[in-house]
Amino acid sequence: MSSNIILPRILQVGDGASDAVLDVLTSLNCQNPLIITDKMMVQLSYAKNILAVLAKGGIQADVFDDTVPEPTVSSIQAGVEKVRAGHYDSIIALGGGSPIDSAKAIAILGKFGGKMQDYKFPRIVNEPGLPIIAVPTTAGTGSEVTRFTIITDEVTDEKMLCVGVGFMPIAALVDYSLTLTLPPRTTADTGIDALTHAMESFVSKKANAYSQSQALAAMNLIGPNLRGAYHNGNNKTAREAMMLGSTLAGVAFSNASVALVHGMSRPIGAAFHVPHGLSNAMLLPAVTEFSIPYASKGYAQCARAMGVANEQDSDDQANALLMSELRALNAELQVPSLEQFGVDRQSYLDLLPVMAEQALASGSPANNPIVPTSEQIISIYRGLW
Ligand SMILES: [Fe+2]
């Protein structure tokens, strides 16, 4: 049996990688890019820096900075209209997961029309949209190397998963120096998201030898460095490891898929506006504990790759160490409970059956080592309170 691996055509990795944007654009024979980003990237001068590099090659780019966190169908509409009205030959997606996910949707809708709902899973989107050069500024989502985007349908509160090679950036400029300004909360949430991508893809039913090699390398980088990046944002060694780890985790899950944590995380995010990485962090210990009996070897390998267990530890010992590490990590990174985050208890409990159905319908739980029933999902959700 063989595995189908899909990657960006160009990866530029390391300090200053974002300065390669002009060379990459030129190599793609593009001259008229639209920069898709958010207000924070403009405020931090990151958009200005990209414009300055492009100007050296005589390229003037327009900037669309109206993307929002956890993008919705209506939030991307202005970007779609801008693409339709202009003559852009490429998109530079600059920011965290939300601007990059927005750019992916805009690149497809701007070129082919229709509504976002038309492109949601199970449809596989293979049409080539406008080519995207992704420049991530967080170490977490891995969106720069995935064939997915997530757009919320605000009418139904559904986080629509959209899948296909059409959403894969043609190039990713992975520059850890852009993450040095990230505040601790974002560092923690995005870092745990990346760790979740690596762990879930490693034990996923769709895992393959290639995706697992990337996931192990990712855990090896993330495990020993997440705390360092959280406590001291200027720790370049930790930032560099987190950035590469996050990209490799993105490669891993884009080619193997995520599982139960992500399946259960999206409904929490959609209903209660908990940021993606944070809802993953809330779920990761409970879902891992639930799943370990069905993939004890795999999780033990995760523990060893993260550096919390060694080769002498039995699988059971390694998994016990993994569980204490996940709980200790949440405590040290100050991951709030749902209650502390401000979720209303009764609304949460009332919504559990719907959230369980949405989780199952997303398809992600089907990749988990054990596919849970709706009742089991509800029980895990209950346990978070
Ligand atoms: Fe994620």
Side-chain angles (χ1 to χ4, degrees):
M1 193 175 131
S2 66
S3 305
N4 178 233
I5 308 299
I6 297 170
L7 300 165
R9 191 191 298 175
I10 300 166
L11 277 174
Q12 184 90 22
V13 182
D15 192 4
S18 55
D19 294 338
V21 65
L22 175 63
D23 292 343
V24 169
L25 203 63
T26 308
S27 76
L28 297 170
N29 207 18
C30 293
Q31 286 96 29
N32 198 14
L34 173 66
I35 298 176
I36 294 183
T37 187
D38 62 25
K39 301 273 190 281
M40 180 56 77
M41 295 302 116
V42 173
Q43 204 183 317
L44 289 169
S45 296
Y46 289 174
K48 200 170 86 186
N49 295 347
I50 296 279
L51 286 169
V53 172
L54 295 177
K56 286 183 198 160
I59 291 179
Q60 261 196 320
D62 287 344
V63 177
F64 175 77
D65 65 3
D66 281 332
T67 65
V68 299
E70 320 286 328
T72 61
V73 169
S74 62
S75 80
I76 59 170
Q77 198 48 41
V80 172
E81 280 155 24
K82 196 168 177 73
V83 163
R84 285 196 191 145
H87 297 282
Y88 304 108
D89 57 12
S90 51
I91 285 174
I92 298 169
L94 170 69
S98 297
I100 298 177
D101 274 4
S102 300
K104 290 176 173 186
I106 293 168
I108 289 287
L109 286 178
K111 186 165 170 186
F112 297 105
K115 319 191 290 294
M116 201 64 225
Q117 288 84 345
D118 302 337
Y119 295 93
K120 77 172 178 179
F121 187 77
R123 171 162 174 194
I124 302 298
V125 180
N126 287 326
E127 298 91 328
L130 288 176
I132 295 172
I133 300 171
V135 188
T137 59
T138 62
T141 68
S143 187
E144 69 278 7
V145 290
T146 72
R147 51 177 149 160
F148 309 119
T149 185
I150 307 259
I151 305 291
T152 301
D153 180 342
E154 59 270 63
V155 179
T156 59
D157 258 358
E158 179 195 3
K159 284 205 164 194
M160 296 184 290
L161 174 65
C162 305
V163 181
V165 71
F167 296 116
M168 176 62 78
I170 197 160
L173 313 184
V174 183
D175 184 347
Y176 76 85
S177 72
L178 303 181
T179 66
L180 294 173
T181 54
L182 274 183
R185 183 75 265 135
T186 315
T187 301
D189 295 350
T190 51
I192 296 179
D193 187 27
L195 178 63
T196 309
H197 295 152
M199 286 179 60
E200 290 214 281
S201 65
F202 189 78
V203 298
S204 162
K205 282 186 177 164
K206 290 189 185 155
N208 54 71
Y210 182 90
S211 69
Q212 286 191 319
S213 73
Q214 305 299 291
L216 285 175
M219 287 185 272
N220 214 277
L221 290 161
I222 296 167
N225 287 292
L226 179 47
R227 284 178 175 84
Y230 173 75
H231 289 301
N232 175 12
N234 282 316
N235 181 337
K236 290 191 177 178
T237 311
R239 289 292 197 191
E240 183 167 21
M242 285 304 298
M243 193 64 165
L244 181 57
S246 152
T247 296
L248 296 180
V251 169
F253 91 86
S254 186
N255 291 290
S257 87
V258 282
L260 184 56
V261 177
H262 274 74
M264 290 181 62
S265 177
R266 292 184 207 109
I268 296 181
F272 301 105
H273 307 288
V274 181
H276 173 71
L278 201 51
S279 49
N280 280 347
M282 292 168 176
L283 283 158
L284 184 60
V287 171
T288 303
E289 190 170 42
F290 171 76
S291 306
I292 278 176
Y294 307 93
S296 60
K297 263 200 178 349
Y299 281 109
Q301 280 177 275
C302 292
R304 293 185 191 105
M306 287 162 62
V308 300
N310 60 42
E311 295 303 328
Q312 279 72 52
D313 294 314
S314 68
D315 287 352
D316 285 349
Q317 285 169 325
N319 285 328
L321 290 164
L322 178 64
M323 285 311 306
S324 21
E325 167 66 2
L326 296 180
R327 293 197 180 104
L329 198 57
N330 275 7
E332 189 165 341
L333 271 48
Q334 300 190 333
V335 173
S337 64
L338 284 164
E339 187 173 18
Q340 290 163 337
F341 185 80
V343 172
D344 176 66
R345 183 170 186 271
Q346 202 51 50
S347 323
Y348 179 70
L349 293 177
D350 289 348
L351 216 54
L352 293 188
V354 176
M355 286 166 51
E357 285 319 306
Q358 288 176 340
L360 282 170
S362 75
S364 302
N367 308 318
N368 207 56
I370 169 75
V371 183
T373 62
S374 184
E375 290 70 32
Q376 286 172 315
I377 291 183
I378 289 174
S379 150
I380 297 171
Y381 273 139
R382 265 186 213 284
L384 292 195
W385 199 269

